[in-house]
Amino acid sequence: EPARLRAALEAAPLGFVAARIEPSEPVLAATDPFEERPRLEPAYRVVVRGRALHEAASVLLAAADLRVLRVDDLAHDARGLIFERNTVSDMGMTTEVELPAQSVPATLTSTAFTVRSCVVSADGACTPIARAVPDADGNFLLAPEPSSFEDGFTEVMAFHHASLAADRLERDHGFRWRCPAEGPARNNSMQILTNYTDSPGRAYANAAYVGGSRSSCGYLLFGQSGSQDFASDADVVYHELGHAVTDQISTIVGFAVDLLGMHYDPLAVNEGTSDYWAATIQGDPRVGESLAGIDGIGRSAALRDLDGALRCPDDLFGEGHFDGRIWAGAFWDLRTELGAEKVDALLFTTIASIGSASSLRAAGESAAETADSLVAMGTLTAAEGVRVREVLSERGLLDCRRVTPLAAGEQRGAFSGIALLTGGLGNDVAPIHYSLTLPADAESATFEIMPGTLTGQYAVLARGGSSVSMRGSSVRFDQRDEVGRSGAVTYRASSRAFAPCSTIYFAVESMDLDRGENLFLVRGSVARSGDPAARCPAPEPDAGPPAAAAPGGASASPAAGASLPPAPAGCGCRVPAASEPTAPAALAAVAMFALRARRRRRAPS
């Protein structure tokens, strides 16, 4: 009887309150195991877990009267060497810590995680092997080997920091990882694999969370880049575990579709949320200091920095990790003003209630509504609720539209789209649109594309006065020009899209996305007559996104209602660290982070 079992256990000298009691099983237990011929009697074996990760015990209760026969501690403590942050921030100096409780002696296994290294065979299969072997005292005092594919230190790092984050998530938000798999093989511990490569001896400079299914649990991968281990940066561990949290409390996927076409705003919300978790746990807006410059840019002190002023739509790039900094930056601003406890609760509650984020704007509105609810509950004051809306508005998230205005002569980096997600859905993928407002004395306007990668074939769609529609059978534009890998399109008075004192809207269609991702620069310019008499009438309100039945030209596109593939299970962590015009070329090696691995990866056995 559960009530009698709980009463008996709470009376037992366990040292902690029996917060959870796992199903009991009947056994024959020795009344006194120290007797020469102990008498056996029916008993129940019950596993009891407390609030903290290390609070776990196996208790034998006599079946007849539920007296406690024996209590066995399931937690085995050990010490290990770790970087408190990463090799750069810690200047290569390790710290000896007590590791979170191990549920299996001499292994990095707890009730939450099982950590091992991945040994990849020639066919891409991963065999998990424990590289971290304890010393005679049961401790894991292993020195880091940054360039080794067999570095046991990375296992200790991943175990320590994942456990620290999991304990905090459970303590502050009541979140505990649950394996989504069904059936007798289900195991609620998450598998973590370090020293990962996608082929023997080949560097994998990335990390990923791979979501679970009804038949398998999700797991974390941390790559070995050849010069450093991604698990050796605590921010990366926190970031990837953050994806697991988002995966379990929401239905946010990788992309969405609206009248402007397919886009990756949901991925930006997901990535930005993970960046925020890494930043708030460390108390530092710089995420991944040891990975600064790994994208080839090297202009930042970290992989990403949330302490900036990026906003929508001015700083949109079209790639989820990059655009996620707008979302994460808003919450970091709020954390600085309102404190970690309140803003952590705001973000967790927002993600848990958001469902599937259809856009950054929808996510921003959801965060504002969540703040209103927290005000009603007393978690936030009325003034704090107002400040949440102000910061979201300052970041452009309450009116975020994927049309970036171009100043004449200005160039911006752009991303074609993700081949794995949307490469097979036709050509109507334009993550970011652009606009160029023409002065009264404009004689012509030019939109130019400059390549940032060795691949990519583009077409420019233009429309005067209203945004280009890229959705299914509702494609609407005034002019479409194929420009190849690079080229410029000039619009004059003979162009339907061109009219002085109006706005031209542009969408860049990636014509060969099924071959892979690519990056490019866009630039808008205006030739002017200089006529001092030219004047524009009073401005009219922006027409905004077109209605489905808006007039205009049309091009081939997938049929309306075409089925979309599911979001990817994996999620990489690498993105560019800067938005300067040279970013696309430097980004070429990193924009495909998880995709290559997803194509070749086989789940660990």
Side-chain angles (χ1 to χ4, degrees), residues 67-160:
R67 70 185 186 282
V68 176
L69 299 178
R70 190 167 75 247
V71 177
D72 296 314
D73 189 358
L74 293 181
H76 301 271
D77 297 327
R79 299 191 68 77
L81 291 179
I82 55 111
F83 291 128
E84 291 186 335
R85 298 176 64 85
N86 55 70
T87 182
V88 172
S89 301
D90 298 346
M91 297 182 290
M93 303 295 291
T94 58
T95 300
E96 184 175 327
V97 296
E98 183 174 302
L99 297 175
Q102 301 151 265
S103 57
V104 179
T107 68
L108 295 175
T109 301
S110 69
T111 57
F113 305 106
T114 297
V115 184
R116 290 174 290 181
S117 289
C118 188
V119 178
V120 180
S121 60
D123 64 355
C126 171
T127 301
I129 293 178
R131 300 286 191 191
V133 179
D135 58 24
D137 297 323
N139 296 317
F140 294 83
L141 305 177
L142 307 172
E145 301 177 66
S147 60
S148 173
F149 288 87
E150 302 177 355
D151 183 9
F153 174 83
T154 62
E155 297 178 20
V156 183
M157 271 288 294
F159 183 74
H160 171 78

Side-chain angles (χ1 to χ4, degrees), residues 325-339:
R325 297 191 304 172
I326 301 173
W327 175 255
F331 283 91
W332 185 261
D333 290 347
L334 289 168
R335 183 188 189 276
T336 302
E337 295 186 34
L338 310 183

Side-chain angles (χ1 to χ4, degrees), residues 243-324:
H243 284 309
V245 177
T246 297
D247 189 36
Q248 291 216 341
I249 67 175
S250 77
T251 56
I252 296 175
V253 293
F255 71 98
V257 61
D258 57 21
L259 284 177
L260 298 184
M262 296 173 192
H263 61 93
Y264 307 100
D265 277 13
L267 184 60
V269 175
N270 199 327
E271 294 295 342
T273 298
S274 279
D275 275 353
Y276 176 83
W277 291 134
T280 192
I281 290 173
Q282 295 278 39
D284 184 350
R286 291 175 294 278
V287 177
E289 290 91 334
S290 71
L291 303 179
I294 198 168
D295 56 9
I297 299 173
R299 286 193 287 269
S300 175
L303 183 63
R304 290 187 286 279
D305 192 339
L306 309 189
D307 190 16
L310 299 179
R311 69 182 311 275
C312 177
D314 300 334
D315 298 298
L316 291 175
F317 183 72
E319 195 278 323
H321 297 75
F322 192 96
D323 293 345

Side-chain angles (χ1 to χ4, degrees), residues 297 299 322 411-413 521 577-584:
I297 299 173
R299 286 193 287 269
F322 192 96
Q411 61 183 18
R412 289 182 175 272
L521 290 168
S579 58
E580 286 83 350
T582 55

